[in-house]
Amino acid sequence: MKIISKFQDYYDIGIAYGVDEKLRFNRKMMDTDTTVEELRCVTRIVYRKQEQYYRILCHFNVMLFCGKAYPLVHVKVESISKKDKKFFYKLVDEEYCYALETLDNYIK
């Protein structure tokens, strides 16, 4: 990948590992009326498995790169426990899904 740009970014360091001349991106600054908060969505699901309750958090986001928007789902699985009328959540697993197939496989 080769990035054509008037400025440098932290992630440009990846070019040190090689450049694919066939894949080119033209990076430029632009303003938009859409805020990041408008693009985010969180879904919470609670389920029970063998006497243990779990909470699944699905953070639906959009990754913007070189003028294109790419969907991203950050999935967190947390175990739920209760002590003294308070709920506690412990992270069990998490996954970043950049394609629907990855999300489907993870949920199965």
Side-chain angles (χ1 to χ4, degrees), residues 30-103:
M30 69 169 89
D31 293 326
T32 178
D33 294 333
T34 306
T35 65
V36 173
E37 293 302 320
E38 291 175 308
L39 300 174
R40 289 187 183 165
C41 176
V42 178
T43 300
R44 292 173 179 83
I45 303 165
V46 175
Y47 74 97
R48 181 179 166 190
K49 182 178 180 182
Q50 299 175 353
E51 304 300 320
Q52 174 65 51
Y53 284 90
Y54 295 91
R55 175 172 78 168
I56 301 175
L57 300 169
C58 295
H59 300 265
F60 297 92
N61 290 292
V62 175
M63 183 184 339
L64 304 172
F65 182 73
C66 293
K68 293 185 181 180
Y70 299 92
L72 162 68
V73 182
H74 180 196
V75 182
K76 291 183 178 181
V77 179
E78 301 172 331
S79 63
I80 304 172
S81 58
K82 187 176 178 183
K83 184 178 180 181
D84 299 327
K85 298 182 180 180
K86 282 189 162 185
F87 288 98
F88 297 92
Y89 305 95
K90 181 181 177 185
L91 183 65
V92 175
D93 194 25
E94 69 179 324
E95 181 76 25
Y96 288 90
C97 304
Y98 301 96
L100 186 57
E101 181 181 355
T102 309
L103 181 60

